[in-house]
């Protein structure tokens, strides 16, 4: 609400999302299996975060802490991890994040380039990133995003529905000289032009980071390529209008 409502945003804005992970019981909560169709709530909270505080690090061994770090990073490759004891943290690290502002294309591009590759752990929520050169047509980009966030009818190789929890990226839209930021949380998303223009056509590219459930990087990249090149045939291989995941 604070992010997308312009009137609220004049006085109150969404600065960022901070999630605290308990070191002693973090692995237990993050790996707890839920009935089919339900997402582990602890995992969802980590997936949404801009800042992740791993707290009570003094209560576990270095080996346990490394395992927890790996698990958290595999879920969210975009958020910043801070390790704390008794939740003591410099407030400058958790306030004035401006995580949902229209960052400059340069700063976001640098951030997206440093998203670490996620370890191959056996869990349904992961971070994936891919880059596709070229220009996307805005209308087709909206279709790509809306099918993921709204229709929820894009499936992976195992026929499981892909569910995107967090989306962030830098895109090049046809007929727009400026770099465009795309951000999404659950079913909400926004496209916003930055003050930075692409230098030339060879520089234009689209770099996306998606955090979610049952994501298939290869399928998503191919569907995005279809969006950029305006090719329709790739879409029908992975969803139809009457196959929405409910």
């Amino acid at each position: 609400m604070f992010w997308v409502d312009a009137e609220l945003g004049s006085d109150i804005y969404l600065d960022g999302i901070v999630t605290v992970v308990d070191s002693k019981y973090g692995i237990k909560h993050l790996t707890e299996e839920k009935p089919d169709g339900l997402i582990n709530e602890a995992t969802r909270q980590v997936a949404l975060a801009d800042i992740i505080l791993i707290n009570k690090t003094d209560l576990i061994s270095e080996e346990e802490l490394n395992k927890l770090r790996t698990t958290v990073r595999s879920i969210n490759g975009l958020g910043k991890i801070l390790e704390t004891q008794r939740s003591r943290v410099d407030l400058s690290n958790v306030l004035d994040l401006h995580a949902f502002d229209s960052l400059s294309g340069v700063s976001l591009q640098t951030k997206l380039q440093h998203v670490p590759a996620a370890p191959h752990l056996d869990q349904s929520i992961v971070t994936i990133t891919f880059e596709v050169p070229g220009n996307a047509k805005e209308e087709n980009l909206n279709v790509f995003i809306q099918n993921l966030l709204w229709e929820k009818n894009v499936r992976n190789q195992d026929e499981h529905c892909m569910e995107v929890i967090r989306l962030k990226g830098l895109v090049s839209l046809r007929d727009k000289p400026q770099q465009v930021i795309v951000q999404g949380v659950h079913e909400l998303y926004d496209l916003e032009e930055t003050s930075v223009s692409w230098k030339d056509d060879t520089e234009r590219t689209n770099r996306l980071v998606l955090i979610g459930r049952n994501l298939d990087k290869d399928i998503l990249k191919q569907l995005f390529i279809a969006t950029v090149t305006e090719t329709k045939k790739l879409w029908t291989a992975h969803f139809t209008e009457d196959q929405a995941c409910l």
Side-chain angles (χ1 to χ4, degrees):
M1 185 188 300
F2 294 136
W3 175 35
V4 299
D5 190 305
E7 291 186 9
L8 279 174
S10 63
D11 297 311
I12 301 171
Y13 66 93
L14 178 59
D15 184 48
I17 300 172
V18 180
T19 295
V20 182
V21 177
D22 183 281
S23 291
K24 191 170 181 62
Y25 299 104
I27 290 289
K28 176 183 177 181
H29 293 314
L30 292 172
T31 58
E32 182 181 0
E33 293 188 7
K34 298 292 184 179
D36 289 343
L38 296 179
I39 291 182
N40 181 315
E41 185 56 37
T43 306
R44 186 197 298 270
Q45 290 180 24
V46 169
L48 282 169
D50 298 293
I51 300 289
I52 302 154
L53 297 182
I54 298 181
N55 189 40
K56 301 181 183 178
T57 57
D58 53 317
L59 299 183
I60 60 174
S61 66
E62 186 63 30
E63 180 180 355
E64 291 171 317
L65 181 56
N66 284 333
K67 183 178 180 181
L68 181 56
R69 284 193 202 106
T70 300
T71 301
V72 168
R73 179 55 68 206
S74 71
I75 296 168
N76 186 335
L78 197 58
K80 181 178 180 181
I81 295 176
L82 300 175
E83 296 173 12
T84 63
Q85 296 178 10
R86 299 180 183 273
S87 295
R88 294 189 180 115
V89 62
D90 189 329
L91 290 182
S92 65
N93 288 325
V94 294
L95 298 179
D96 296 321
L97 301 176
H98 296 280
F100 289 83
D101 289 4
S102 57
L103 305 172
S104 74
V106 174
S107 62
L108 181 60
Q109 191 163 20
T110 300
K111 184 181 179 74
L112 297 182
Q113 284 174 336
H114 291 87
V115 175
H120 296 287
L121 299 182
D122 183 18
Q123 56 188 44
S124 62
I125 295 184
V126 295
T127 298
I128 66 147
T129 180
F130 62 82
E131 182 173 3
V132 175
N135 297 316
K137 188 176 180 181
E138 185 169 356
E139 179 183 355
N140 292 352
L141 177 63
N142 281 318
V143 170
F144 172 81
I145 295 173
Q146 289 166 14
N147 276 305
L148 281 172
L149 303 188
W150 296 359
E151 304 300 330
K152 295 181 172 60
N153 55 8
V154 183
R155 298 171 182 271
N156 62 19
Q157 295 286 3
D158 298 324
E159 291 299 313
H160 293 141
C161 177
M162 298 191 209
E163 181 176 347
V164 176
I165 297 173
R166 191 79 187 264
L167 162 67
K168 185 170 285 193
L170 184 71
V171 295
S172 173
L173 295 183
R174 190 171 303 172
D175 302 325
K176 288 188 182 293
Q178 293 86 7
Q179 299 178 354
V180 175
I181 301 293
V182 56
Q183 295 205 67
V185 177
H186 287 304
E187 296 180 353
L188 299 176
Y189 79 96
D190 183 49
L191 298 172
E192 188 166 353
E193 294 181 15
T194 72
S195 58
V196 179
S197 296
W198 297 102
K199 294 179 181 178
D200 52 53
D201 287 343
T202 61
E203 185 191 35
R204 286 179 173 266
T205 192
N206 306 273
R207 181 178 288 113
L208 294 180
V209 178
L210 300 98
I211 301 173
R213 187 185 192 195
N214 301 320
L215 302 185
D216 187 310
K217 176 179 178 177
D218 292 336
I219 289 176
L220 288 171
K221 184 174 182 178
Q222 288 303 312
L223 292 181
F224 192 87
I225 290 172
T227 298
V228 171
T229 60
E230 299 185 62
T231 302
K232 301 299 183 183
K233 62 182 180 180
L234 285 173
W235 289 93
T236 57
H238 298 288
F239 73 85
T240 59
E241 292 184 2
D242 60 351
Q243 288 184 329
C245 302
L246 302 177

